[in-house]
């Protein structure tokens, strides 16, 4: 290794700023930075190809810090690469700084928000997958801590990476022995990690993570790997390496040095040259993925006399729009024949990603795809998005542009029983700020809403139904995010029933039955759950005999559609009566379960009559 | 093998009823039952020790069906064991039947509700752990499908089982090649699975899953295993085995036979003797775990002049109550020094379970512990419960008795930033039916509420705070689930501010500031978020000048505390004004972040003034 002395000096500079910035902040994880400082210094100085002026240049190598608490290291590395003055690192963790406690998109060089552990390898796998599929020359490096290797998602990602032959993916494992509250499961027994990654199909290289020659050889080998296997560099490291009183000591996780300790530490580091810079390799070309939307609406036609399952129609529209919109990707967790992404898979296998039954990895892979300009559609049973709730939460922090399609919502799925029913999805997606939630009730509205999801930048979520429903709309109808459709209206409506999805047909049935008894109600299809159409509902309240809105939804009561309505109309003088699922459901026929949950036409009728008495 | 012919006949009987029941139901997964029918027949006939009259007998072996869609097999096995007439299996999947599409607790022999895949090995590990720790002789058998082995949780459980030396745990892997929508990741390449489980510390036995002699030898070996390693029996099987037109065929997942197909299939099976029964081994003794609660309140005293972090007080109370309440268990995901379960660990290591950074497994292990009478406390950062949302959902379906403690809630945690902030926890826990949600604001209320959680049967959730708060309550105060405390009250209150957790001190500060300007407000501490104290809040509405309640919470707006208040008071004529977090937060000081989120005293004051204008 030619420039070993120069790299040593740079590693000292890295260490200095990881400590200075955290001491200045009064919190943070300096020792977790120090353990992997040597490996990342060699990586940045000798291998990383990166155009600092264009983080989204599609020829850039990708660097994912999965162990997000080592954020000061990430900031220091890009600082030494020349992205900003090192002195600015003193704003670490301060309000308004781009250098947050854990990386967020305001720091433009981060590939994803991290800090919830065990997600980075999946993000990296998503990035590497595109490199493979589009034959781009970049490498994806992911730095993982040893504590986070206990997260199952890491092993989902490992299977995914070897299955898809991502030999352009390099996982760097920082085996520093110490986790937050004690020793990790395997301490410094590197073999435990090596054996696991080998069994999961990785090329494994074990090294001393502080021997610059070994590091260089490993990175060289990883860099030139083309054997179809992803690489894991298992690095034995020392937490706090470089400062004797921190090295391999318990009690130093997530703890900055105080001013005196910092002085002692810097003294031990010796003279450090603040003017040193990494010599980043430049990328060959500059180009950012851009696939402008070609087709932004669906041309599908439906037979008015037929019934359709909205999940099936989604599949058709997705496939239709995928034809000319080349940035659309489909991600599946082995339910493509139920969510109806199967057609997309058949039509565009090169833009379909089979993730098997591993929802967490699937969502974080999508975050990787989104980062580099793709529009991933992630589809599974709505119930199983709870499996990836943390990944969705982090995708939101990452400002990802992901479209989630949750099929089999509610008790209306019938015989399969409660484990398969999505009944908390509106609560969860709805809690995260600014996630659009749509739920079409028929084929036409589905075909109109899918394009709106694509056109909207950010996360959106659509609920689709297992059973078939009749057609309510003419193909000329216009739908919009935040809109609704009034399906029954008279000059003498007693109150309003606001329904969504499967309950729309129940509400219409109720209205027709009530009409026979000369009771008129207004029925609104709130296909846009968030934002909900407050203006229309306000109008209903002012126009109906009683200022009452009955919300009917196939979702649990708390955090559902009804709460969006209550919230949107909080200033109005009205009563919102929520009909929603309030108990654990069971197996049974759709009609039995809708009735047991008290969200069917009969219960709407009963409630209306009671309220209009 | 002596009785091989008799076992063959019994396997035919198993196959018959898996097919008959699903055909009768018109839905279900017969082929997924047939692949593992031979292994489970041998298990039930020759090995399983079980007292049918007492499923909770602590000497019973434990049988967990992780691949819950093979429920008809589970029901058939216990039927042939003599638990109920086989004819009753014809009610499969019908409304009201104990035989649901996927197992639920109404079927009393199920160890846990399954159907969301990849959770059973964790439940089994929890059951096996207690067997080990209490030196009970039972074995735990878990049947897993090959599709679900892609779920990361399985590998969390595998690490957990080998780390804790659970050699009484036997995983039976049904490698039938075909998943729902195509071939699994590894098809019939058994070595892929065997290598992985070996690397994860298992004793691995590969067998032909339809060779009764091989099955018997494997079960015999597993049964007598005492080498400290959990066992994985990797069984090569044929989906649909026993019926030629179903065997190894795509397109038969989750599909029952029609009546004609059933006839053909039964003909192929040949004569089946419906009177055959398994000869279940009986357990030595009958005894159900019972540890009556000895201490049901806390005797801790606090210094009124000091401030305390509720997370720390929780740790103290938990440790105090653990002393005489021997069914209390602590489960940790490597944050015990942050959630303060560390003291419990030090005091009762035999009832502490370190799960490392693997929240999904942790929750399902707790479901296992709960099944056999323990009261597990699962504590981590509130944000990281999103990682286990699906497992919490299924624990709820399982009717588990788990206590969840979520620390570091809200933006008030400060510098660590959004990845560590629990801001959607009320939405998620609150959506699931009947989960109690508590949030103490000071030391005294914490010490009062933890015992209430223990005394309540079912799932409860407590939010604890990172920062310290002053003492608001006298130790003589009485707290109850569904209660609240009115902290500021006058005869001329303009409106009510309902706060919870960290916002209580903000509301009190606001009230004191406003008082200086002769504006009186009522301040209620809603320490019980679900159920919320509707009676007290109603009273407030009727007694204050304006019928307005301002809810203030360190949680996202949708699905939070404010929505519980709106819902509880839906029939009242009032306005609920929600102050809650509406954007992704950042790093910063607590006060800066509370201010940026507009939930601090200043914003309460501003809102009050605006509303009382």
């Amino acid at each position: 290794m030619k420039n070993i002395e120069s790299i040593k000096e740079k590693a000292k500079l890295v260490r200095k700023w990881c400590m200075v910035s955290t001491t200045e902040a009064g919190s943070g994880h300096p020792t977790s930075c120090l353990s992997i400082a040597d490996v990342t210094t060699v990586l940045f100085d000798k291998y990383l190809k990166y155009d600092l002026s264009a983080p989204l240049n599609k020829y850039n190598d990708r660097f994912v810090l999965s162990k997000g608490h080592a954020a000061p290291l990430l900031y220091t590395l890009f600082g030494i690469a020349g992205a900003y003055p090192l002195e600015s690192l003193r704003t670490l963790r301060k309000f308004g700084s781009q250098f947050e406690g854990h990386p967020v998109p305001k720091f433009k060089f981060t590939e994803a928000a991290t800090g919830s552990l065990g997600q980075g390898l999946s993000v990296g796998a998503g990035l590497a997958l595109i490199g493979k599929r589009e034959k781009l020359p970049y490498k994806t490096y992911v730095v993982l801590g040893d504590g986070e290797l206990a997260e199952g998602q890491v092993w989902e990602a490992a299977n995914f990476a070897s299955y898809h032959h991502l030999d352009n993916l390099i996982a760097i494992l920082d085996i520093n022995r110490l986790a937050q509250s004690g020793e990790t499961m395997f301490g410094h027994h590197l073999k435990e990690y090596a054996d696991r990654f080998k069994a999961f199909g990785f090329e494994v290289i074990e090294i001393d993570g502080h021997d610059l020659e070994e590091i260089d050889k490993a990175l060289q080998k990883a860099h030139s790997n083309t054997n179809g296997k992803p690489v894991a560099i298992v690095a034995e490291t020392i937490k706090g390496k470089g400062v004797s009183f921190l090295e391999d000591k318990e009690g130093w996780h997530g703890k900055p040095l105080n001013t005196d300790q910092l002085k002692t530490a810097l003294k031990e580091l010796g003279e450090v040259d603040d003017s040193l810079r990494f010599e980043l390799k430049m990328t060959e070309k500059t180009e950012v993925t851009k696939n402008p939307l070609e087709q932004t609406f669906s041309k599908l036609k439906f037979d008015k006399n037929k019934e359709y399952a909205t999940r099936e129609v989604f599949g058709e529209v997705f496939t239709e729009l995928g034809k000319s919109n080349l940035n659309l990707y489909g991600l599946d967790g082995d339910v493509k024949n139920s969510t109806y992404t199967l057609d997309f898979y058949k039509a565009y296998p090169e833009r379909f990603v089979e993730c098997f039954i591993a929802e967490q990895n699937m969502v974080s892979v999508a975050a990787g795809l989104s980062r580099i300009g793709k529009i991933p559609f992630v589809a599974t049973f709505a119930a199983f998005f709870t499996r990836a709730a943390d990944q969705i939460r982090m995708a939101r922090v990452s400002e990802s542009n992901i479209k989630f399609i949750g099929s089999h919502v509610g008790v209306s799925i019938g015989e399969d029983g409660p484990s398969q029913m999505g009944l908390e999805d509106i609560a969860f997606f709805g809690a995260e700020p600014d996630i659009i939630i749509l739920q079409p009730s028929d084929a036409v509205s589905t075909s109109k809403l899918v394009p709106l999801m694509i056109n909207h930048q950010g996360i959106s979520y659509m609920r689709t139904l297992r059973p078939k429903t009749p057609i309510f709309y003419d193909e000329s109808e216009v739908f919009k995010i935040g809109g609704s459709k009034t399906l029954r209206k008279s000059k003498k409506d007693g109150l309003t029933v606001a329904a969504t999805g499967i309950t729309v047909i129940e509400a219409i049935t109720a209205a027709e039955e009530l009409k026979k008894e000369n009771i008129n109600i207004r029925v609104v299809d709130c296909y846009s759950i968030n934002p909900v159409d407050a203006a229309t509902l306000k109008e209903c309240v002012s126009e109906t005999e009683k200022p009452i809105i009955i919300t009917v939804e196939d979702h649990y009561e708390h955090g559902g559609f009804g709460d969006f309505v209550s919230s949107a109309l909080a200033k109005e003088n009205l009563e919102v009566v929520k009909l929603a699922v309030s108990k654990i459901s069971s197996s049974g026929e759709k009609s039995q379960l809708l009735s047991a949950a008290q969200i069917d036409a009969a219960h709407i009728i009963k409630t209306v009559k009671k309220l209009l008495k």
Side-chain angles (χ1 to χ4, degrees), chain A residues 116 276 383 442:
Chain A
S116 181
L276 289 173
D442 80 340

Side-chain angles (χ1 to χ4, degrees), chain A residues 49 113 121 205 222 232 311 336 396 474 484 490 501 564 613:
Chain A
K49 277 190 182 177
L121 191 59
I205 310 170
R311 60 178 173 139
K336 54 187 174 288
R396 177 60 193 86
D474 192 85
S484 70
S490 78
F564 273 116
K613 236 186 216 165

Side-chain angles (χ1 to χ4, degrees), chain A residues 200-490:
Chain A
F200 273 71
F202 274 58
E203 183 71 36
V204 173
I205 310 170
E206 291 180 61
I207 59 165
D208 172 347
H210 303 301
D211 180 321
L212 297 179
E213 297 272 4
E214 272 193 45
I215 295 168
D216 186 44
K217 269 187 212 157
L219 286 172
Q220 179 60 47
K221 190 175 167 192
H223 182 76
S224 54
N225 177 55
T226 54
N227 68 358
K229 290 180 170 189
V231 179
I233 297 176
V234 186
E236 178 163 352
T237 61
I238 306 288
K239 199 158 176 172
K241 175 73 181 183
V243 178
S244 50
F245 66 89
L246 299 176
E247 285 187 359
D248 204 31
K249 293 279 191 305
E250 300 229 14
W252 271 103
H253 181 92
K255 207 172 156 182
L257 287 72
N258 66 30
T259 323
D260 284 346
Q261 290 164 334
L262 179 64
K263 265 187 202 155
T264 314
L266 292 180
K267 202 171 164 188
E268 189 178 334
L269 272 191
E271 207 172 320
V272 176
D273 180 354
D274 268 331
S275 72
L276 289 173
R277 289 294 173 269
F278 291 131
E279 296 151 20
L280 283 192
K281 306 285 160 292
M282 281 306 290
T283 50
E284 292 84 2
K285 298 194 241 174
T286 296
E287 195 183 331
V288 170
T289 300
K290 267 199 190 119
N291 300 308
L293 293 170
E294 295 283 337
Q295 187 184 343
T296 59
F297 59 94
S298 168
K299 295 166 188 164
L300 290 185
K301 303 282 171 208
F302 304 96
D303 180 344
K304 287 229 163 194
N305 300 311
K306 273 195 182 170
E307 297 204 329
Y308 298 83
T310 59
R311 60 178 173 139
E312 291 197 46
V313 178
F314 154 72
E316 282 182 62
V317 180
F318 181 42
T319 309
E320 178 198 9
L321 297 177
K323 190 171 184 184
S324 55
N325 295 326
L326 301 180
N327 45 358
L328 298 197
Y329 273 70
L331 280 78
D332 173 49
D334 186 31
V335 286
K336 54 187 174 288
N337 54 340
S338 290
T339 58
Y340 287 90
T341 52
L342 184 61
D343 293 344
F344 187 97
Y345 163 60
K346 286 181 179 162
Y348 327 111
E350 73 285 1
R351 283 186 281 125
F352 190 83
V353 187
E354 182 53 66
C355 300
F356 299 94
I357 309 175
E359 296 80 5
Q360 304 186 83
N361 177 66
M362 174 165 63
V363 171
S364 301
V365 163
L369 265 53
S370 163
R371 165 71 175 166
I372 47 178
K374 309 303 179 189
I375 303 181
F377 272 72
V378 178
T380 185
F381 284 29
F384 302 143
F385 278 129
T386 57
R387 194 63 160 252
D390 192 28
Q391 289 74 16
I392 294 168
R393 180 178 78 89
M394 292 304 294
R396 177 60 193 86
V397 179
S398 291
E399 296 171 11
S400 297
N401 183 28
I402 305 178
K403 315 304 166 189
F404 292 98
I405 307 291
S407 69
H408 293 70
V409 296
V411 305
S412 75
I413 66 160
E415 290 75 7
D416 271 337
S419 64
Q420 318 293 304
M421 296 169 176
L423 284 163
E424 50 284 283
D425 51 328
I426 299 177
F428 174 70
F429 279 104
E432 302 298 325
D434 307 318
I435 291 186
I436 303 297
I437 304 179
L438 306 173
Q439 179 169 230
S441 57
D442 80 340
V444 173
S445 50
T446 308
S447 75
K448 301 286 183 177
L449 294 175
V450 175
L452 295 183
M453 293 179 83
I454 296 174
N455 287 307
H456 174 264
Q457 171 72 29
I459 295 182
S460 53
Y461 170 57
M462 176 180 280
R463 305 184 100 204
T464 65
L465 304 171
R466 181 175 184 276
K468 291 179 195 290
T469 52
I471 301 251
F472 303 122
Y473 299 109
D474 192 85
E475 274 140 17
S476 63
E477 293 262 7
V478 176
F479 291 75
K480 60 177 186 182
I481 290 172
S484 70
K485 291 283 173 192
T486 303
L487 287 169
R488 291 291 182 275
K489 185 178 182 173
S490 78

Side-chain angles (χ1 to χ4, degrees), chain A residues 105-156:
Chain A
K106 141 169 53 159
F107 178 72
K108 65 184 180 183
F109 303 103
T110 195
E111 301 293 342
T114 54
S116 181
L117 291 167
Q119 303 192 8
L121 191 59
S122 301
V123 173
L127 296 165
L129 184 86
I130 296 301
K132 276 307 228 192
R133 293 217 175 158
E134 300 193 351
K135 299 192 174 36
L136 290 164
Y138 65 82
K139 302 280 175 186
T140 299
Y141 301 93
V142 183
V143 173
L144 296 97
D146 47 358
E148 69 177 317
L149 299 179
E151 287 286 10
Q153 187 183 355
V154 172
W155 304 101
E156 295 180 359

